[in-house]
Amino acid sequence: MSRYRVVICEDDPTTLTLLRRIIEKIPGTEVAGWPSVGQALLDIERSKPSLVVLDHMMPGATGLDGLKHLRSTPWGKGIPVLLYSASDIEEAAYREGATSFLRKPAPASHFLSRVKTLLGVTE
């Protein structure tokens, strides 16, 4: 049984694989990855993950669109969300309810540290 479940919404397969590998270094963590906001939101509603990592620049709905939708639902209000984007949208991310923002590309160690903090992992 997984202690943590993380949903990543990232349309670039290489980045998705990299983020998944980084997060899976945390013992007891299950990671699901989705290439679109719509697919990720369906999973989030069903699984109520411990953390959501959203890319912003996505085909169709953006990460900010997904964040707005998530925060407008009873099931999505309390889930921590890390918006991870190359776009300069930090202020907008926090205004829409992001728990944290990280600018791409971030060193793997920095990304892992941020995820651990958001999950409440102490070592």
Side-chain angles (χ1 to χ4, degrees):
M1 177 85 179
S2 297
R3 193 164 156 208
Y4 307 105
R5 178 172 168 75
V6 178
V7 172
I8 305 171
C9 184
E10 169 62 64
D11 63 316
D12 179 69
T14 303
T15 303
L16 178 58
T17 299
L18 176 64
L19 297 180
R20 179 188 299 267
R21 287 184 180 153
I22 292 169
I23 295 170
E24 286 175 343
K25 290 179 180 182
I26 302 169
T29 302
E30 173 190 344
V31 180
W34 301 100
S36 76
V37 170
Q39 290 172 304
L41 286 171
L42 289 172
D43 183 353
I44 295 163
E45 182 178 9
R46 178 186 54 76
S47 69
K48 313 294 187 291
S50 311
L51 175 65
V52 173
V53 178
L54 284 174
D55 179 24
H56 175 59
M57 298 300 293
M58 305 277 292
T62 66
L64 279 178
D65 294 333
L67 179 60
K68 286 179 195 176
H69 181 78
L70 195 61
R71 294 304 187 223
S72 73
T73 66
W75 48 266
K77 288 187 187 316
I79 299 172
V81 176
L82 169 59
L83 206 65
Y84 183 57
S85 178
S87 300
D88 188 19
I89 58 161
E90 185 170 3
E91 280 186 34
Y94 285 119
R95 189 172 50 249
E96 296 301 336
T99 312
S100 190
F101 178 87
L102 196 55
R103 187 79 183 247
K104 280 182 182 178
S109 60
H110 194 167
F111 181 83
L112 180 60
S113 174
R114 184 71 54 93
V115 168
K116 284 181 174 180
T117 298
L118 291 167
L119 289 174
V121 174
T122 55
E123 294 179 280

